[in-house]
């Protein structure tokens, strides 16, 4: 069976987060090794590694928390905190549903461009490249995708934006080529509190099926600020969140860039 994700893909996924100066590297590395040693399928290992990375900012707010079971399913993780066995259910809130499909296509394009550059000369091109595209870029057809890949390839080779690439910024990376989106924050990019409430209500329905051996079950809602589809500037009508009713013992919303946390329950 062909692997969905190579070991190199997993290394790159972790390497991008290494650029974040707030990353708690040692526990993350330990947790990733534990996941690697598990009997999970490669796809599930990748999913678990991504999930634990999203919890990095959460671990800064709860430095005493120790994860004991990283490969369970309902909830996603079992941890020890304050002499209690805590189940942690993790979910991501998507702020821009229309961007989710586009972002998925762009990530595949980035991977193809990375392969081209590494095949030509990894040593010369290695680094992390942050790209911004012109607003009319549409990666929804194979023809467009090939053109975007070529534009990215030429931009990185020339060291300046070309074609559909609006801007290019490079950061050091000691191993490989990694291409990602440039981070731009819209000052009026709001996350509607109703989206968070809807997520909580969906998780409430599944609560009876979670592991009953835990002392408490926490729900952690994450905005992945490294994702275009998940970014936001502020939560609209945040006061509505405190009116939520839920069987979860604690509910948090956290964003993984600056680590801002909102205690909902």
């Amino acid at each position: 069976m062909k692997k969905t994700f190579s070991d190199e893909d997993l290394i790159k996924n972790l390497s991008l987060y290494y650029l974040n100066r707030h990353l708690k590297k040692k526990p993350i590395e330990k947790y990733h090794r534990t996941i690697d040693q598990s009997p999970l399928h490669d796809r599930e290992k990748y999913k678990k590694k991504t999930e634990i990375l999203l919890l990095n900012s959460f671990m800064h707010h709860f430095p005493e928390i120790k994860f004991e079971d990283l490969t369970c399913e309902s909830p996603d993780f079992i941890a020890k905190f304050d002499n209690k066995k805590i189940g942690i259910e993790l979910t991501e809130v998507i702020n821009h549903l229309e961007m989710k499909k586009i972002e998925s296509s762009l990530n595949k394009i980035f991977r193809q461009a990375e392969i081209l550059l590494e095949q030509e000369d990894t040593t010369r091109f290695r680094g992390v490249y942050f790209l911004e595209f012109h607003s009319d870029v549409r990666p929804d057809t194979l023809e467009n995708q090939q053109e975007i890949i070529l534009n990215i390839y030429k931009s990185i080779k020339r060291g300046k934006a070309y074609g559909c690439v609006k801007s290019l910024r490079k950061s050091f990376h000691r191993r490989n080529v990694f291409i990602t989106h440039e981070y731009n924050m819209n000052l009026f990019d709001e996350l509607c509190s109703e989206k968070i409430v809807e997520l909580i209500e969906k998780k409430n329905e599944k609560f009876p099926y979670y592991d009953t051996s835990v002392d408490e079950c926490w729900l952690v809602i994450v905005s992945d600020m490294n994702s275009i589809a998940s970014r936001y500037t502020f939560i609209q009508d945040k006061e509505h969140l405190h009116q939520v009713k839920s069987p979860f013992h604690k509910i948090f919303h956290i964003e993984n860039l600056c680590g801002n946390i909102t205690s909902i329950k």
Side-chain angles (χ1 to χ4, degrees), residues 179-190:
I179 303 170
T180 187
H181 306 278
E182 178 63 277
Y183 186 86
N184 286 314
M185 181 66 82
N186 183 337
L187 292 177
F188 304 101
D189 194 6
E190 63 190 28

Side-chain angles (χ1 to χ4, degrees), residues 10-258:
L10 298 179
I11 291 169
K12 287 185 173 185
N13 186 281
L14 180 58
S15 295
L16 178 62
Y17 281 80
Y18 275 4
L19 296 175
N20 184 333
R21 58 190 174 88
H22 301 296
L23 184 66
K24 295 172 69 107
K25 295 182 184 179
K26 289 185 179 178
I28 290 290
E29 289 174 340
K30 181 183 73 174
Y31 294 144
H32 274 214
R33 284 195 299 270
T34 301
I35 293 168
D36 271 333
Q37 293 163 6
S38 75
L40 292 177
H41 185 274
D42 282 345
R43 178 183 287 275
E44 287 302 310
K45 287 181 180 178
Y46 181 88
K47 180 174 178 286
K48 283 290 183 179
K49 286 184 176 184
T50 304
E51 286 175 344
I52 201 72
L53 283 168
L54 287 177
L55 282 174
N56 176 64
S57 295
F58 177 78
M59 287 187 274
H60 277 276
H61 289 279
F62 296 93
E64 299 87 6
I65 204 162
K66 304 294 180 187
F67 288 87
E68 295 186 338
D69 189 345
L70 299 163
T71 60
C72 52
E73 193 168 326
S74 297
D76 295 312
F77 303 100
I78 302 293
K80 200 77 174 178
F81 177 73
D82 199 20
N83 294 321
K84 292 181 180 179
K85 186 178 179 182
I86 308 294
I88 296 177
E89 178 68 10
L90 174 70
T91 188
E92 181 184 351
V93 59
I94 303 300
N95 196 27
H96 307 286
L97 288 174
E98 71 283 357
M99 287 300 303
K100 190 68 176 174
K101 186 176 180 180
I102 295 174
E103 186 168 26
S104 178
S105 296
L106 282 175
N107 286 334
K108 292 175 183 176
I109 288 169
F110 290 160
R111 186 69 190 111
Q112 291 304 308
E114 289 166 0
I115 290 171
L116 281 178
L117 292 160
E118 288 176 346
Q119 286 176 341
E120 182 169 331
D121 192 340
T122 301
T123 303
R124 177 185 170 191
F125 297 117
R126 64 188 171 199
V128 180
Y129 297 88
F130 298 87
L131 303 183
E132 183 181 1
F133 295 93
H134 292 291
S135 59
D136 59 349
V137 172
R138 295 290 180 268
D140 49 353
T141 68
L142 185 60
E143 183 179 350
N144 288 347
Q145 289 172 2
Q146 294 304 316
E147 181 183 358
I148 295 170
I149 291 169
L150 187 60
N151 286 177
I152 293 172
Y153 172 78
K154 288 183 177 180
S155 294
I156 291 175
K157 282 198 70 173
R158 298 176 180 184
K160 60 181 181 179
Y162 171 85
C164 65
V165 179
K166 183 178 180 181
S167 67
L168 170 71
R169 178 170 63 90
K170 181 180 179 181
S171 180
F172 172 76
H173 191 288
R174 63 185 178 86
R175 297 189 63 172
N176 298 106
V177 179
F178 196 103
I179 303 170
T180 187
H181 306 278
E182 178 63 277
Y183 186 86
N184 286 314
M185 181 66 82
N186 183 337
L187 292 177
F188 304 101
D189 194 6
E190 63 190 28
L191 169 58
C192 180
S193 60
E194 199 55 41
K195 291 182 180 178
I196 298 177
V197 173
E198 287 174 6
L199 267 182
I200 294 171
E201 289 174 348
K202 287 180 181 178
K203 290 296 180 178
N204 286 348
E205 295 174 4
K206 297 180 180 179
F207 187 86
Y209 304 104
Y210 292 147
D211 188 341
T212 56
S213 70
V214 298
D215 299 310
E216 294 184 5
C217 197
W218 298 1
L219 177 60
V220 180
I221 301 167
V222 178
S223 286
D224 181 6
M225 302 294 274
N226 293 299
S227 164
I228 294 174
S230 195
R231 291 178 193 168
Y232 75 99
T233 310
F234 65 95
I235 300 175
Q236 182 188 41
D237 301 324
K238 187 185 287 189
E239 62 275 9
H240 292 170
L241 298 176
H242 300 293
Q243 300 169 12
V244 170
K245 297 187 183 301
S246 174
F248 286 96
H249 296 79
K250 292 183 184 295
I251 303 175
F252 302 98
H253 172 265
I254 194 163
E255 56 94 343
N256 67 339
L257 190 67
C258 299

